[in-house]
Amino acid sequence: MEFKKIGFIGLGLIGGSLAKSIKLKYPSTKMIAMASRESTLQAAYRDNVIENNHFPQMQDFSDCDVIFLCSPVKINVDYLEKLKDVLNPNCILSDVGSVKGDISSAVERLDLFSQFVGGHPMAGSEATGYENSNSHLLENAYYILTVTDAFPKEKLQYFSEFLQSLGCLTMIMNPQKHDFATACISHLPHIIAASLVNFVKDADDQNETLKTIAAGGFRDITRIASSSPVMWQHICSTNREEILKVFDLYQNSLYDFRDAIQNLDEQSIISLFAQAKDYRDNLPVKNTGALPAAFEIYLDIADETGGIATIATLLAKNNISIKNIGIVHNREFEQGVLRIEFYTKDAMDAAVIILKKDYVVHK
Protein backbone atom coordinates (compact mmCIF):
# COMPACT_ATOMS: atom_id res chain seq x y z
CA MET A 1 0.00 0.00 0.00
CA GLU A 2 2.97 2.32 0.45
CA PHE A 3 3.57 5.46 -1.63
CA LYS A 4 7.15 6.72 -1.94
CA LYS A 5 6.43 10.46 -1.65
CA ILE A 6 3.34 12.35 -0.49
CA GLY A 7 2.68 16.08 -0.52
CA PHE A 8 0.38 18.20 1.64
CA ILE A 9 -1.10 21.57 0.87
CA GLY A 10 -2.10 22.67 4.33
CA LEU A 11 -0.99 21.03 7.56
CA GLY A 12 -3.66 21.85 10.13
CA LEU A 13 -5.69 19.49 12.28
CA ILE A 14 -6.71 17.09 9.49
CA GLY A 15 -3.62 17.43 7.30
CA GLY A 16 -1.32 17.11 10.28
CA SER A 17 -3.19 14.10 11.66
CA LEU A 18 -3.17 12.40 8.26
CA ALA A 19 0.55 13.04 7.84
CA LYS A 20 1.33 11.74 11.35
CA SER A 21 -0.79 8.63 10.72
CA ILE A 22 1.06 7.92 7.46
CA LYS A 23 4.45 8.44 9.10
CA LEU A 24 3.49 6.07 11.93
CA LYS A 25 2.33 3.34 9.53
CA TYR A 26 4.87 3.95 6.76
CA PRO A 27 7.99 5.53 8.33
CA SER A 28 9.99 5.33 5.08
CA THR A 29 7.50 7.44 3.11
CA LYS A 30 8.87 10.88 2.29
CA MET A 31 6.48 13.79 2.85
CA ILE A 32 6.65 17.48 2.07
CA ALA A 33 4.15 20.18 2.91
CA MET A 34 3.03 23.72 2.24
CA ALA A 35 1.42 25.64 5.11
CA SER A 36 0.21 29.15 5.79
CA ARG A 37 2.94 29.66 8.40
CA GLU A 38 6.56 28.60 8.24
CA SER A 39 6.43 27.85 11.99
CA THR A 40 3.99 25.03 11.23
CA LEU A 41 6.43 23.48 8.78
CA GLN A 42 9.23 23.81 11.33
CA ALA A 43 7.12 22.08 13.99
CA ALA A 44 6.29 19.19 11.64
CA TYR A 45 9.95 18.96 10.61
CA ARG A 46 11.00 18.73 14.28
CA ASP A 47 8.47 15.93 14.69
CA ASN A 48 10.17 14.10 11.77
CA VAL A 49 6.86 14.11 9.91
CA ILE A 50 7.94 16.10 6.81
CA GLU A 51 11.20 16.66 4.94
CA ASN A 52 11.09 20.47 4.64
CA ASN A 53 11.29 23.16 7.32
CA HIS A 54 10.67 26.06 4.95
CA PHE A 55 8.19 26.95 2.20
CA PRO A 56 8.69 24.61 -0.79
CA GLN A 57 8.45 25.48 -4.47
CA MET A 58 5.62 24.05 -6.57
CA GLN A 59 8.24 22.09 -8.51
CA ASP A 60 9.04 20.17 -5.31
CA PHE A 61 5.66 18.44 -5.62
CA SER A 62 6.36 17.17 -9.16
CA ASP A 63 7.53 13.70 -8.05
CA CYS A 64 4.75 13.10 -5.50
CA ASP A 65 2.64 9.95 -5.79
CA VAL A 66 -0.19 11.59 -3.85
CA ILE A 67 -0.96 15.20 -2.96
CA PHE A 68 -3.51 15.93 -0.24
CA LEU A 69 -5.21 19.34 -0.40
CA CYS A 70 -5.89 20.15 3.26
CA SER A 71 -6.62 23.89 3.19
CA PRO A 72 -10.01 25.67 3.03
CA VAL A 73 -11.88 24.97 -0.20
CA LYS A 74 -11.08 28.25 -1.96
CA ILE A 75 -7.38 27.92 -1.18
CA ASN A 76 -7.39 24.32 -2.44
CA VAL A 77 -8.84 25.54 -5.74
CA ASP A 78 -6.09 28.15 -6.07
CA TYR A 79 -3.42 25.50 -5.51
CA LEU A 80 -5.00 23.17 -8.05
CA GLU A 81 -4.20 25.73 -10.73
CA LYS A 82 -0.64 26.13 -9.45
CA LEU A 83 -0.06 22.37 -9.32
CA LYS A 84 -1.53 21.52 -12.72
CA ASP A 85 1.64 22.33 -14.67
CA VAL A 86 3.98 20.39 -12.36
CA LEU A 87 1.94 17.25 -11.66
CA ASN A 88 3.28 13.95 -12.90
CA PRO A 89 0.55 12.05 -14.80
CA ASN A 90 0.36 9.23 -12.23
CA CYS A 91 -0.06 11.47 -9.19
CA ILE A 92 -3.32 11.17 -7.24
CA LEU A 93 -4.83 14.47 -6.17
CA SER A 94 -7.22 14.41 -3.23
CA ASP A 95 -8.73 16.97 -0.89
CA VAL A 96 -10.08 16.52 2.66
CA GLY A 97 -12.82 19.15 2.57
CA SER A 98 -16.40 18.72 3.74
CA VAL A 99 -17.78 20.35 0.55
CA LYS A 100 -17.23 18.95 -2.96
CA GLY A 101 -19.16 21.31 -5.27
CA ASP A 102 -16.53 24.02 -5.81
CA ILE A 103 -13.54 21.70 -5.90
CA SER A 104 -15.32 19.39 -8.39
CA SER A 105 -16.08 22.37 -10.65
CA ALA A 106 -12.43 23.43 -10.56
CA VAL A 107 -11.25 19.89 -11.32
CA GLU A 108 -13.60 19.78 -14.33
CA ARG A 109 -12.41 23.18 -15.57
CA LEU A 110 -8.77 22.09 -15.28
CA ASP A 111 -9.46 18.66 -16.79
CA LEU A 112 -8.05 16.79 -13.79
CA PHE A 113 -10.84 14.26 -13.23
CA SER A 114 -8.55 11.38 -14.22
CA GLN A 115 -6.24 12.29 -11.32
CA PHE A 116 -8.63 13.66 -8.71
CA VAL A 117 -10.52 11.76 -6.03
CA GLY A 118 -12.41 13.83 -3.50
CA GLY A 119 -11.91 12.87 0.12
CA HIS A 120 -13.62 13.73 3.39
CA PRO A 121 -12.38 12.12 6.62
CA MET A 122 -15.33 12.29 9.02
CA ALA A 123 -13.27 13.27 12.03
CA GLY A 124 -12.27 16.48 13.72
CA SER A 125 -12.31 18.59 16.82
CA GLU A 126 -13.32 22.05 17.92
CA ALA A 127 -9.55 22.57 18.36
CA THR A 128 -7.67 23.51 15.20
CA GLY A 129 -4.11 23.65 13.87
CA TYR A 130 -1.17 21.32 13.54
CA GLU A 131 -0.49 21.57 17.28
CA ASN A 132 -3.76 19.72 17.95
CA SER A 133 -3.23 17.00 15.34
CA ASN A 134 -2.49 13.41 16.30
CA SER A 135 -1.78 10.14 14.54
CA HIS A 136 -4.96 8.45 15.84
CA LEU A 137 -7.56 11.07 14.89
CA LEU A 138 -8.68 9.20 11.77
CA GLU A 139 -8.80 5.70 13.26
CA ASN A 140 -12.24 4.08 12.84
CA ALA A 141 -13.47 7.24 11.11
CA TYR A 142 -15.51 7.09 7.93
CA TYR A 143 -13.48 8.48 5.04
CA ILE A 144 -15.79 9.37 2.15
CA LEU A 145 -14.35 9.26 -1.37
CA THR A 146 -16.09 11.04 -4.27
CA VAL A 147 -15.13 10.26 -7.86
CA THR A 148 -16.36 10.36 -11.44
CA ASP A 149 -16.09 7.63 -14.08
CA ALA A 150 -12.93 9.33 -15.40
CA PHE A 151 -10.92 8.21 -12.36
CA PRO A 152 -9.41 4.73 -12.91
CA LYS A 153 -11.14 2.07 -10.81
CA GLU A 154 -7.88 0.23 -10.07
CA LYS A 155 -6.29 3.42 -8.76
CA LEU A 156 -9.39 4.15 -6.63
CA GLN A 157 -9.20 0.70 -5.10
CA TYR A 158 -5.50 1.10 -4.33
CA PHE A 159 -6.03 4.55 -2.77
CA SER A 160 -8.99 3.26 -0.76
CA GLU A 161 -6.95 0.33 0.55
CA PHE A 162 -4.15 2.71 1.50
CA LEU A 163 -6.56 4.77 3.62
CA GLN A 164 -7.99 1.60 5.15
CA SER A 165 -4.46 0.59 6.15
CA LEU A 166 -4.37 3.77 8.25
CA GLY A 167 -7.46 2.60 10.14
CA CYS A 168 -10.08 4.53 8.13
CA LEU A 169 -13.40 3.13 6.93
CA THR A 170 -13.79 4.20 3.31
CA MET A 171 -17.15 4.89 1.65
CA ILE A 172 -17.69 5.92 -1.98
CA MET A 173 -20.44 8.26 -3.21
CA ASN A 174 -20.99 10.99 -5.80
CA PRO A 175 -20.16 14.62 -4.91
CA GLN A 176 -23.76 15.90 -4.80
CA LYS A 177 -24.95 13.15 -2.47
CA HIS A 178 -21.95 13.85 -0.26
CA ASP A 179 -22.70 17.58 -0.02
CA PHE A 180 -26.35 16.95 0.89
CA ALA A 181 -25.36 14.36 3.51
CA THR A 182 -22.78 16.60 5.17
CA ALA A 183 -25.19 19.55 5.08
CA CYS A 184 -27.64 17.41 7.07
CA ILE A 185 -25.36 15.81 9.65
CA SER A 186 -22.55 18.36 9.98
CA HIS A 187 -23.17 21.80 8.50
CA LEU A 188 -26.72 22.34 9.77
CA PRO A 189 -25.89 21.13 13.32
CA HIS A 190 -22.99 23.61 13.49
CA ILE A 191 -25.29 26.43 12.37
CA ILE A 192 -27.94 25.40 14.90
CA ALA A 193 -25.35 25.24 17.70
CA ALA A 194 -23.99 28.70 16.87
CA SER A 195 -27.47 30.22 16.52
CA LEU A 196 -28.57 28.69 19.84
CA VAL A 197 -25.55 30.13 21.64
CA ASN A 198 -26.21 33.55 20.10
CA PHE A 199 -29.89 33.30 21.07
CA VAL A 200 -29.09 32.54 24.72
CA LYS A 201 -26.45 35.29 24.78
CA ASP A 202 -28.95 37.85 23.47
CA ALA A 203 -31.69 36.62 25.82
CA ASP A 204 -29.46 36.76 28.92
CA ASP A 205 -29.68 39.53 31.51
CA GLN A 206 -26.97 41.80 32.92
CA ASN A 207 -26.22 39.29 35.68
CA GLU A 208 -25.65 36.55 33.08
CA THR A 209 -28.22 34.33 34.77
CA LEU A 210 -28.64 32.02 31.77
CA LYS A 211 -24.90 31.61 31.38
CA THR A 212 -24.52 30.86 35.08
CA ILE A 213 -27.15 28.13 35.32
CA ALA A 214 -26.63 26.57 31.87
CA ALA A 215 -26.54 22.81 32.44
CA GLY A 216 -24.39 20.19 30.78
CA GLY A 217 -27.07 19.52 28.18
CA PHE A 218 -26.75 23.04 26.80
CA ARG A 219 -22.96 22.79 26.84
CA ASP A 220 -23.01 19.44 25.06
CA ILE A 221 -25.31 20.39 22.19
CA THR A 222 -23.49 23.69 21.62
CA ARG A 223 -19.91 22.44 22.00
CA ILE A 224 -19.32 22.50 18.24
CA ALA A 225 -20.07 26.23 18.21
CA SER A 226 -16.44 26.62 19.36
CA SER A 227 -15.19 25.56 15.92
CA SER A 228 -13.24 27.92 13.65
CA PRO A 229 -15.48 30.80 12.39
CA VAL A 230 -13.29 31.22 9.28
CA MET A 231 -13.64 27.56 8.34
CA TRP A 232 -17.42 27.74 8.71
CA GLN A 233 -17.59 30.91 6.65
CA HIS A 234 -15.88 28.95 3.86
CA ILE A 235 -18.24 25.99 4.26
CA CYS A 236 -21.40 28.11 4.26
CA SER A 237 -20.35 29.94 1.10
CA THR A 238 -19.23 26.84 -0.79
CA ASN A 239 -22.12 24.54 0.17
CA ARG A 240 -24.75 27.29 0.09
CA GLU A 241 -27.38 25.50 -2.01
CA GLU A 242 -27.41 22.26 -0.03
CA ILE A 243 -27.36 24.08 3.32
CA LEU A 244 -30.32 26.24 2.32
CA LYS A 245 -32.16 23.12 1.12
CA VAL A 246 -31.75 21.31 4.44
CA PHE A 247 -32.42 24.56 6.32
CA ASP A 248 -35.93 24.64 4.84
CA LEU A 249 -36.46 20.96 5.60
CA TYR A 250 -35.33 21.48 9.18
CA GLN A 251 -37.66 24.44 9.65
CA ASN A 252 -40.55 22.17 8.71
CA SER A 253 -39.41 19.66 11.33
CA LEU A 254 -39.08 22.37 13.97
CA TYR A 255 -42.57 23.64 13.22
CA ASP A 256 -43.94 20.14 13.73
CA PHE A 257 -42.86 20.50 17.36
CA ARG A 258 -44.23 24.05 17.57
CA ASP A 259 -47.62 23.07 16.17
CA ALA A 260 -47.92 20.07 18.50
CA ILE A 261 -47.06 22.20 21.54
CA GLN A 262 -49.35 25.07 20.49
CA ASN A 263 -52.26 22.66 19.97
CA LEU A 264 -51.55 20.78 23.21
CA ASP A 265 -51.43 17.63 21.08
CA GLU A 266 -49.94 15.33 23.71
CA GLN A 267 -49.89 12.29 21.44
CA SER A 268 -47.96 14.16 18.73
CA ILE A 269 -45.53 15.59 21.29
CA ILE A 270 -44.68 12.20 22.76
CA SER A 271 -44.49 10.69 19.26
CA LEU A 272 -42.00 13.33 18.06
CA PHE A 273 -39.77 12.86 21.09
CA ALA A 274 -40.07 9.05 20.88
CA GLN A 275 -39.07 9.01 17.21
CA ALA A 276 -36.04 11.16 17.99
CA LYS A 277 -35.05 8.97 20.94
CA ASP A 278 -35.33 5.75 18.96
CA TYR A 279 -33.25 7.09 16.07
CA ARG A 280 -30.67 8.69 18.38
CA ASP A 281 -30.34 5.55 20.52
CA ASN A 282 -29.58 3.51 17.39
CA LEU A 283 -26.79 5.71 16.06
CA PRO A 284 -23.48 3.83 15.74
CA VAL A 285 -21.23 4.44 18.73
CA LYS A 286 -17.99 2.78 17.64
CA ASN A 287 -17.10 4.84 14.59
CA THR A 288 -16.12 8.48 14.37
CA GLY A 289 -18.72 10.64 12.65
CA ALA A 290 -18.95 14.08 11.10
CA LEU A 291 -19.10 15.90 14.43
CA PRO A 292 -16.11 15.94 16.79
CA ALA A 293 -16.37 13.61 19.75
CA ALA A 294 -16.15 14.65 23.40
CA PHE A 295 -14.16 12.46 25.76
CA GLU A 296 -15.53 13.23 29.20
CA ILE A 297 -16.51 11.52 32.44
CA TYR A 298 -18.33 12.53 35.61
CA LEU A 299 -17.35 11.65 39.17
CA ASP A 300 -19.12 11.67 42.52
CA ILE A 301 -16.68 13.27 44.97
CA ALA A 302 -17.02 14.61 48.48
CA ASP A 303 -17.01 18.36 49.09
CA GLU A 304 -13.66 18.54 50.84
CA THR A 305 -10.49 20.59 50.55
CA GLY A 306 -8.05 19.18 48.01
CA GLY A 307 -10.51 16.74 46.44
CA ILE A 308 -9.98 17.95 42.88
CA ALA A 309 -6.23 18.32 43.40
CA THR A 310 -6.02 14.69 44.52
CA ILE A 311 -7.70 13.48 41.34
CA ALA A 312 -5.59 15.73 39.10
CA THR A 313 -2.41 14.49 40.78
CA LEU A 314 -3.48 10.86 40.43
CA LEU A 315 -4.05 11.28 36.70
CA ALA A 316 -0.81 13.22 36.25
CA LYS A 317 1.18 10.44 37.93
CA ASN A 318 -0.21 8.09 35.32
CA ASN A 319 0.73 10.46 32.46
CA ILE A 320 -2.91 11.26 31.63
CA SER A 321 -3.46 14.82 30.43
CA ILE A 322 -6.66 16.68 31.33
CA LYS A 323 -8.22 18.98 28.76
CA ASN A 324 -10.76 20.53 31.14
CA ILE A 325 -12.01 19.96 34.68
CA GLY A 326 -14.69 21.62 36.77
CA ILE A 327 -17.53 21.34 39.25
CA VAL A 328 -21.02 20.84 37.80
CA HIS A 329 -23.33 23.20 39.68
CA ASN A 330 -26.47 22.43 37.70
CA ARG A 331 -26.91 18.65 37.79
CA GLU A 332 -30.38 18.47 36.30
CA PHE A 333 -29.22 16.08 33.56
CA GLU A 334 -25.84 15.06 34.95
CA GLN A 335 -24.49 12.15 36.96
CA GLY A 336 -21.59 13.17 39.13
CA VAL A 337 -20.49 16.49 40.51
CA LEU A 338 -17.06 16.69 38.85
CA ARG A 339 -16.68 16.79 35.07
CA ILE A 340 -13.33 15.85 33.48
CA GLU A 341 -12.65 16.15 29.76
CA PHE A 342 -9.73 14.47 27.98
CA TYR A 343 -7.98 14.98 24.66
CA THR A 344 -8.34 11.37 23.47
CA LYS A 345 -10.54 8.33 24.02
CA ASP A 346 -7.50 6.31 25.13
CA ALA A 347 -6.79 8.83 27.88
CA MET A 348 -10.43 8.75 28.99
CA ASP A 349 -10.54 4.95 29.10
CA ALA A 350 -7.29 4.79 31.08
CA ALA A 351 -8.60 7.40 33.55
CA VAL A 352 -11.81 5.41 34.11
CA ILE A 353 -9.82 2.31 35.05
CA ILE A 354 -7.68 4.25 37.51
CA LEU A 355 -10.43 6.36 39.08
CA LYS A 356 -12.95 3.52 39.47
CA LYS A 357 -10.74 2.08 42.21
CA ASP A 358 -11.66 4.94 44.55
CA TYR A 359 -14.56 6.87 42.96
CA VAL A 360 -17.95 6.36 41.35
CA VAL A 361 -17.42 7.16 37.67
CA HIS A 362 -20.12 7.92 35.10
CA LYS A 363 -19.43 7.99 31.32
Side-chain angles (χ1 to χ4, degrees):
M1 292 298 102
E2 190 169 3
F3 293 104
K4 292 182 179 180
K5 184 176 179 180
I6 296 176
F8 287 85
I9 303 297
L11 208 62
L13 177 70
I14 298 298
S17 296
L18 185 55
K20 289 178 179 179
S21 179
I22 294 170
K23 180 58 68 173
L24 182 66
K25 179 72 176 180
Y26 303 106
S28 63
T29 297
K30 293 183 178 181
M31 291 187 283
I32 63 169
M34 174 69 78
S36 59
R37 297 190 303 271
E38 197 167 64
S39 59
T40 298
L41 299 178
Q42 292 169 350
Y45 179 80
R46 289 194 299 270
D47 291 339
N48 294 315
V49 174
I50 61 174
E51 305 284 317
N52 59 300
N53 61 357
H54 57 276
F55 293 124
Q57 301 295 317
M58 286 298 99
Q59 189 63 36
D60 296 331
F61 291 90
S62 63
D63 58 344
C64 286
D65 299 307
V66 180
I67 297 176
F68 288 100
L69 304 168
C70 304
S71 296
V73 178
K74 293 180 180 179
I75 296 176
N76 285 340
V77 170
D78 289 340
Y79 270 100
L80 270 180
E81 298 184 1
K82 296 176 182 178
L83 288 166
K84 179 176 171 58
D85 293 334
V86 302
L87 284 176
N88 77 71
N90 294 315
C91 178
I92 296 175
L93 277 172
S94 186
D95 73 326
V96 298
S98 66
V99 181
K100 297 305 171 201
D102 281 16
I103 194 78
S104 295
S105 296
V107 168
E108 181 177 18
R109 175 170 51 83
L110 297 169
D111 193 24
L112 290 171
F113 271 134
S114 64
Q115 291 186 257
F116 181 81
V117 50
H120 179 197
M122 307 289 277
S125 166
E126 66 271 21
T128 59
Y130 176 81
E131 62 273 16
N132 292 299
S133 64
N134 68 80
S135 60
H136 304 293
L137 183 68
L138 305 182
E139 285 185 359
N140 297 313
Y142 284 112
Y143 200 119
I144 298 176
L145 299 175
T146 63
V147 292
T148 67
D149 292 337
F151 193 83
K153 291 182 179 179
E154 310 81 33
K155 190 175 288 188
L156 174 61
Q157 181 178 350
Y158 191 85
F159 186 59
S160 177
E161 290 174 356
F162 171 74
L163 295 171
Q164 290 171 17
S165 75
L166 303 178
C168 302
L169 306 172
T170 56
M171 181 183 296
I172 299 171
M173 62 179 66
N174 67 56
Q176 185 176 1
K177 183 177 180 180
H178 166 274
D179 284 359
F180 177 77
T182 53
C184 288
I185 50 89
S186 178
H187 305 165
L188 182 64
H190 276 86
I191 293 169
I192 292 171
S195 65
L196 184 56
V197 171
N198 288 338
F199 165 75
V200 171
K201 175 181 67 67
D202 293 340
D204 212 349
D205 57 27
Q206 291 183 341
N207 296 322
E208 295 189 328
T209 302
L210 300 182
K211 184 178 182 180
T212 301
I213 66 173
F218 178 79
R219 183 194 64 247
D220 290 342
I221 65 174
T222 59
R223 174 172 50 86
I224 53 178
S226 295
S227 300
S228 166
V230 174
M231 178 182 72
W232 283 100
Q233 182 270 325
H234 276 267
I235 289 173
C236 287
S237 61
T238 54
N239 203 26
R240 176 175 173 270
E241 290 186 10
E242 298 300 326
I243 290 174
L244 291 176
K245 183 189 300 182
V246 300
F247 220 115
D248 292 339
L249 295 173
Y250 173 70
Q251 282 184 309
N252 294 335
S253 179
L254 195 60
Y255 268 96
D256 287 341
F257 277 92
R258 189 186 189 284
D259 290 343
I261 295 169
Q262 183 178 34
N263 297 327
L264 292 176
D265 187 343
E266 296 182 0
Q267 187 57 45
S268 292
I269 292 172
I270 196 169
S271 177
L272 288 168
F273 278 107
Q275 290 175 43
K277 182 182 186 305
D278 289 344
Y279 191 84
R280 173 63 174 78
D281 289 347
N282 283 285
L283 290 177
V285 296
K286 294 184 178 180
N287 300 323
T288 303
L291 303 181
F295 308 110
E296 58 188 20
I297 59 175
Y298 295 86
L299 273 68
D300 286 324
I301 63 171
D303 183 9
E304 58 186 15
T305 303
I308 296 179
T310 299
I311 292 171
T313 301
L314 180 60
L315 295 176
K317 286 182 177 179
N318 287 275
N319 297 315
I320 298 175
S321 297
I322 296 173
K323 182 177 181 180
N324 205 346
I325 187 170
I327 297 293
V328 179
H329 294 290
N330 184 340
R331 296 181 62 192
E332 185 179 2
F333 300 107
E334 307 291 8
Q335 294 177 306
V337 69
L338 183 69
R339 172 183 172 270
I340 309 176
E341 184 177 4
F342 303 90
Y343 288 97
T344 66
K345 183 179 183 299
D346 289 344
M348 179 185 71
D349 292 341
V352 169
I353 294 173
I354 294 167
L355 295 173
K356 271 190 172 180
K357 297 175 182 177
D358 300 299
Y359 301 92
V360 177
V361 180
H362 306 277
K363 290 181 68 175

